[in-house]
């Protein structure tokens, strides 16, 4: 039995809607996963070339960066890298806080 033009049209429309829905679900899931990992509060575990330092009373990010920077390296770049590696939104530190820094 031959299907009518109306039935074929309806079938194609339903297939397109199903494909579009699947596409948007996959897109939303992928973006959600990327966002959740990018906004993680805790930085990834330190690698073999990094170490953990516990912030002492009176320590500043600038002082810590000064103690680990290589000769000739811009201190601002080191501070930026420390903030980025440790997911810090400001330069404020608290005594007892752990920071991941590159090993010397």
């Amino acid at each position: 039995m031959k299907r009518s033009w109306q039935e074929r049209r309806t079938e194609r429309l339903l297939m397109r809607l199903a494909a579009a829905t699947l596409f948007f679900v996959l897109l939303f899931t992928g973006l959600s996963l990327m966002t959740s990992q990018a906004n993680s509060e805790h930085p990834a575990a330190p690698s073999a070339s990094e170490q953990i330092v516990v912030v002492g009373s009176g320590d500043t990010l600038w002082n810590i960066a000064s103690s680990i920077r290589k000769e000739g390296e811009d201190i601002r770049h080191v501070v930026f890298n420390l903030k980025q590696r440790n997911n810090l939104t400001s330069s404020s530190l608290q005594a007892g806080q752990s920071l991941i820094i590159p090993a010397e």
Side-chain angles (χ1 to χ4, degrees):
M1 178 181 230
K2 210 173 191 182
R3 290 185 295 180
S4 72
W5 173 82
Q6 188 90 13
E7 290 173 334
R8 288 192 309 261
R9 183 175 175 214
T10 303
E11 186 178 306
R12 279 184 283 185
L13 178 62
L14 289 174
M15 291 298 287
R16 287 180 185 154
L17 285 173
T21 301
L22 178 62
F23 173 76
F24 284 112
V25 166
L26 290 174
L27 181 66
F28 178 75
T29 303
L31 290 175
S32 296
L33 288 173
M34 286 176 21
T35 303
S36 68
Q37 289 184 7
N39 290 334
S40 175
E41 283 186 31
H42 303 288
S47 67
S49 65
E50 297 175 317
Q51 61 184 354
I52 296 179
V53 170
V54 178
V55 175
S57 179
D59 282 346
T60 65
L61 200 55
W62 190 272
N63 291 343
I64 294 170
S66 295
S67 69
I68 64 167
R69 77 180 179 129
K70 294 171 180 63
E71 188 175 332
E73 189 174 17
D74 188 348
I75 189 72
R76 294 170 295 181
H77 185 69
V78 178
V79 169
F80 174 80
N81 288 338
L82 283 173
K83 286 175 67 173
Q84 189 173 25
R85 176 61 178 98
N86 290 281
N87 293 342
L88 300 175
T89 55
S90 74
S91 297
S92 299
L93 299 177
Q94 296 182 357
Q97 181 178 358
S98 297
L99 290 179
I100 299 172
I101 62 168
E104 293 183 46

